[in-house]
Amino acid sequence: MKIKLLSVLILAFVLFGCESSGSSGTQRASAGNQAPNHFNTPLKTVYQDYFPIGNIVNNNYLRGDFFEILKTHFSVVTSENNMKPDHLGPRERGGNYNFAPADNQIRIMAENGIRMHGHTLIWHSQTHRWMTEGTPEQVRENLVNHINTVMAHFKGRVTSWDVVNEAVRERVNPGENYELWRNHLRQESGWFKALGADYIDLAFRTARAADPAVTLYYNDYNLDNSRKAQVVANMVREINARYRSEGNTRNLIEGVGMQAHYGLTTSVPNVRASIERFIALGIEVSISELDVEVRSVGSGSFGIGHSRRLSDMEQRQQAIKYAELFSLFKQYKDHIARVTLWGIDDEHSWKSLGNPCLWDARLQPKQAFFAVANPTEALGIDENH
Ligand code: XIL
């Protein structure tokens, strides 16, 4: 699909041009030549008839221009790390929980009208080892205690939780039976080793009992891959069917979070097929960790501090992918509960080498930002096309 460069430039001019007139309704935090141009067209306003639009929060983002961007554009956030088991939970069995950083983030976000999504309760990664060591009874108790403690602490302040994160293998092989979802779970997970596949059902039931007001999510990546999506769909279907057969009128797993760590080669039709597969289960979908790398970096190269200047071509290709994704998401607005981006600027992204964000290292909005602000324009298509 051809981008209409001219229209992007015009759009950029219009958006930037508004700034000096102060007609956008939002104010710049600071003046000066280097002050970033990111306070116009709040994305949360652009998408207000579609879905809440989110980003992550971490302690760096609580100040200065990062904070201004968060406040201006986003209505929901996920704590990048501070609500994960290794950040919250004690280093040893019986030790104290450390809720202070997450509490601080929630307080500041709430003061600014930003809601918090909970991420994440049960995961093979970023989890202290003691939690999954010992007899199955002990590990089971650790799982239940962790969920109860954390959900009780955040009760009323977090309305949705990723209960289980990344339980399915990174890659699901072709030609296998995806109905047998248990065969595709991560064997290296400490929870799986101790409790087998049942830890998933247990985690969700514990979470439901801990706080029935919360919407419970299963969250994973590579869900644009139809094989992995089938495994997850079969898991959700079976767990929900069993739960309902016990007389419950509500689903146990109420949403799937598609992390959406994407790249230029991501197939938008595949993303569509997976969204449809999940909503056919009668559950909601959230795009939970969206970023689009301009070049794919291996997991060994993750980390902040390695962004670079993109060529115009790279910027445009990335902008098109973002525009295609957002115009797809808009079509599923009745089923998409939230679209959350994973990071504000390229330099502080967990995948900084891939320059995957909407703002560059100087906090200038990239072409990708304008593409998200107006995907139809960026793609040069009719709304109904
Ligand atoms: C990442 C964070 O962005 C990094 O800061 C951290 O070092 C590792 O985790 N899937 C998830 C997120 O569910 O929690 C991960 O976040 C990215 C992949």
Side-chain angles (χ1 to χ4, degrees), residues 80-81 84 119 123 126 165-166 259 261 289 342 350:
E80 183 175 19
N81 287 301
K84 292 174 179 175
H119 174 76
W123 192 15
Q126 292 192 262
N165 199 31
E166 302 180 351
Q259 289 186 7
H261 295 295
E289 306 183 10
W342 204 252
W350 74 305

Side-chain angles (χ1 to χ4, degrees), residues 102-142:
D103 283 344
N104 189 45
Q105 290 171 2
I106 296 185
R107 180 181 55 77
I108 295 172
M109 292 301 110
E111 283 167 8
N112 289 279
I114 301 175
R115 176 164 69 79
M116 183 74 101
H117 167 73
H119 174 76
T120 180
L121 294 165
I122 298 299
W123 192 15
H124 67 279
S125 179
Q126 292 192 262
T127 297
H128 292 303
R129 196 174 286 186
W130 68 264
M131 291 183 79
T132 57
E133 282 173 351
T135 64
E137 290 68 36
Q138 263 169 344
V139 176
R140 199 185 149 91
E141 197 182 302
N142 294 342

